[in-house]
Amino acid sequence: MTAPRYADEARDVAARVFDRLADPEATAADTAVPGDSSHIRLGEPLWQDLALSSGYPGVSLAFTGRGTPGPADAARAHAYLVRAMRATAATAHAPGGIYNGPGAVAFAVLVAHRATGGYRSALGRLDEHQRRLVRRALPEVRDAPMPTNGEFEVVRGMSGVGRYLLARREQCEEELRLVLTYLTRMAYGEIRHRGQRVPRWWTWAAPKLGQEVEMPDGHLNLGLSHGVAGPLALLSLAWRQGVVVDGQREAIERLVDLLKRWTYESEGGPLWPPHLTLESWAAGPGIPSPRQRPSWCYGAPGISRSLQLAGLALDRAEWRGLAHRSLLPFLTTDPDCWSIDNPHVCHGWGGMMHLLAVLNESIGDKRLTDLVDDMAARTLAHFRPEYRFGFRAPLTGAPQGTDVPAFLEGATGTALALDAYAEGRTTTDWDMALLLA
């Protein structure tokens, strides 16, 4: 196998970023908008102690998720995990997924356990928390739109929780089956909404805060992070690992059919809209959406990976072929036109690099191999030694960006993606949180 073209540079940059994240107190304190930020109105804080995306659990992955963690990495991760567990004990938390609260700590401790063999008693306690969460907070399957897609999605909902349970199958199989049964039932049938028959996945919430006026009737989300591609990925991953509940095959088929129905053909190949309004649902497929920024969270290649997992699970060559074809537009368009402005995992060059490598493992397209190298070069081009964490995240109103060490949209995830690229690894523990594997 040909070595990655920029392996040495990627390995060096990743190591430099990991070193800058070594001290959890300094990392948390230095997470900020550089310079005068008094004029910038922030939504959620840039640092949250118990966030997988931006806090102690997420940054701990920098040291347990890298390819060859050593004793120093284990010590650094432990410093983060101790603070995360202290914060868990000191604060009451509403039920949530694996990106906030105790669920985020559980995922971080799981990755640490896999890397070191330790944390057995802590992991046992966190298993029990996740089992109780499912028993207490498993959503209903309603005959009306949900209040929020946070009930089922990857980031806040049961698809993410289910991925943790799948990784801990021996300890949590009963609750895992409850989650799979819930998602399977959600895939069946339709509901009446404003005179239309829509999927049960329909939610009253808008995709983003502030879009409620534009979408008074709610929306159907198709993405991997917040939409139906997340349940499809989990159901497919569970099938491949031999965890099957009644109706699961049909649920996978129905979810694939839903995504196939809303595929539209671009000049280069198939694409997906990020979400559908009631108006667009009633009009039906056929009207191309504006070209979207490619990413993990919405559209291809995130949805592409869900379809590929389904095709691998049920041995459906046509689904795997659709996943491959959905990557072809990236070979026929200039990446400068993709509207990507950052190096991060969620919707940046680093995420594209890692996702394309993961997808190509089952495809073997030399053109995609070359494109992964190009994504690596674009990711590395964002590195600046003078930045606190080596990479900055864009923020509206802050031309200089923000110093954030985050997993999804910051330096931790970017460095982990570069580390995996440098080692030629497409199988990692940290990307379980993305439902890529």
Side-chain angles (χ1 to χ4, degrees):
M1 185 176 69
T2 304
R5 185 181 307 168
Y6 303 105
D8 290 342
E9 185 180 355
R11 189 178 295 109
D12 174 67
V13 166
R16 294 169 73 179
V17 172
F18 294 147
D19 283 343
R20 293 173 186 222
L21 301 171
D23 182 345
E25 296 296 339
T27 298
D30 294 342
T31 300
V33 181
D36 179 16
S37 61
S38 59
H39 64 290
I40 299 173
R41 296 184 62 183
L42 298 176
E44 292 185 349
L46 297 176
W47 178 271
Q48 300 176 73
D49 285 353
L50 289 180
L52 189 66
S53 57
S54 63
Y56 293 123
V59 181
S60 77
L61 301 180
F63 308 108
T64 56
R66 64 188 301 184
T68 53
D73 295 303
R76 289 174 173 181
H78 186 71
Y80 278 93
L81 293 174
V82 165
R83 286 162 176 76
M85 287 187 274
R86 285 176 184 164
T88 302
T91 311
H93 298 277
I98 61 167
Y99 275 81
N100 282 288
V105 182
F107 183 83
V109 171
L110 167 64
V111 176
H113 167 69
R114 289 189 166 198
T116 67
Y119 300 98
R120 293 180 182 275
S121 61
L123 196 54
R125 293 193 300 272
L126 291 162
D127 286 344
E128 178 58 27
H129 176 275
Q130 295 301 84
R131 288 193 293 265
R132 287 199 309 269
L133 169 68
V134 171
R135 294 287 182 178
R136 185 174 71 250
L138 190 70
E140 298 178 66
V141 178
R142 304 177 182 86
D143 290 324
M146 292 172 291
T148 168
N149 44 341
E151 294 189 1
F152 70 82
E153 66 174 43
V154 170
V155 173
R156 296 172 293 170
M158 285 296 154
S159 293
V161 172
R163 186 61 190 90
Y164 175 88
L165 300 174
L166 181 59
R168 298 289 291 167
R169 174 183 172 182
E170 290 185 7
Q171 296 77 15
C172 304
E173 183 161 357
E174 185 175 350
E175 288 74 21
L176 170 61
R177 290 183 176 277
L178 289 175
V179 170
L180 296 176
T181 298
Y182 158 69
L183 295 174
T184 292
R185 291 182 60 202
M186 285 289 295
Y188 278 77
E190 293 182 324
I191 58 175
R192 296 289 298 182
H193 179 50
R194 306 270 201 222
Q196 297 289 328
R197 302 290 298 182
V198 299
R200 289 188 187 277
W201 309 103
W202 202 275
T203 175
W204 280 110
K208 294 182 180 179
L209 291 175
Q211 293 182 323
E212 293 82 4
V213 174
E214 303 168 40
M215 302 183 190
D217 302 313
H219 79 291
L220 174 67
N221 199 299
L222 300 181
L224 179 52
S225 59
H226 301 298
V228 300
L232 175 60
L234 178 64
L235 291 169
S236 301
L237 287 165
W239 185 283
R240 295 188 74 193
Q241 294 190 31
V243 188
V244 178
V245 299
D246 289 345
Q248 189 168 332
R249 173 186 285 274
E250 292 78 8
I252 292 172
E253 291 172 341
R254 287 167 181 260
L255 283 163
V256 171
D257 285 345
L258 178 60
L259 290 171
K260 285 172 62 179
R261 179 186 176 193
W262 289 97
T263 302
Y264 64 92
E265 294 291 336
S266 71
E267 293 179 0
L271 297 171
W272 291 273
H275 45 71
L276 300 169
T277 65
L278 193 61
E279 182 180 13
S280 59
W281 175 269
I287 302 175
S289 298
R291 183 176 293 277
Q292 300 293 318
R293 172 176 58 184
S295 65
W296 164 72
C297 48
Y298 284 107
I303 289 176
S304 312
R305 179 56 174 169
S306 291
L307 288 168
Q308 186 183 65
L309 288 170
L312 292 168
L314 300 189
D315 193 21
R316 298 289 287 271
E318 68 272 27
W319 299 351
R320 299 194 301 272
L322 176 57
H324 186 188
R325 286 199 303 114
S326 71
L327 306 179
L328 299 183
F330 304 136
L331 301 173
T332 58
T333 58
D334 184 349
D336 288 338
C337 300
W338 293 357
S339 301
I340 295 178
D341 61 357
N342 69 84
H344 306 314
V345 165
C346 184
H347 44 259
W349 299 118
M352 287 293 292
M353 172 184 66
H354 187 66
L355 263 162
L356 291 172
V358 169
L359 280 152
N360 200 35
E361 184 179 31
S362 298
I363 295 171
D365 187 328
K366 175 61 166 60
R367 297 170 300 171
L368 291 174
T369 301
D370 293 340
L371 188 58
V372 170
D373 284 329
D374 181 55
M375 300 297 96
R378 291 170 182 272
T379 304
L380 290 164
H382 280 262
F383 179 75
R384 298 287 186 276
E386 65 271 22
Y387 292 169
R388 172 61 177 86
F389 304 117
F391 293 99
R392 279 185 178 165
L395 179 69
T396 302
Q400 72 275 42
T402 55
D403 288 320
V404 291
F407 170 59
L408 273 185
E409 297 181 66
T412 291
T414 305
L416 284 168
L418 286 170
D419 176 75
Y421 165 80
E423 301 299 327
R425 289 188 304 125
T426 57
T427 301
T428 70
D429 284 336
W430 57 264
D431 70 5
M432 289 191 298
L434 307 176
L435 265 70
L436 302 185

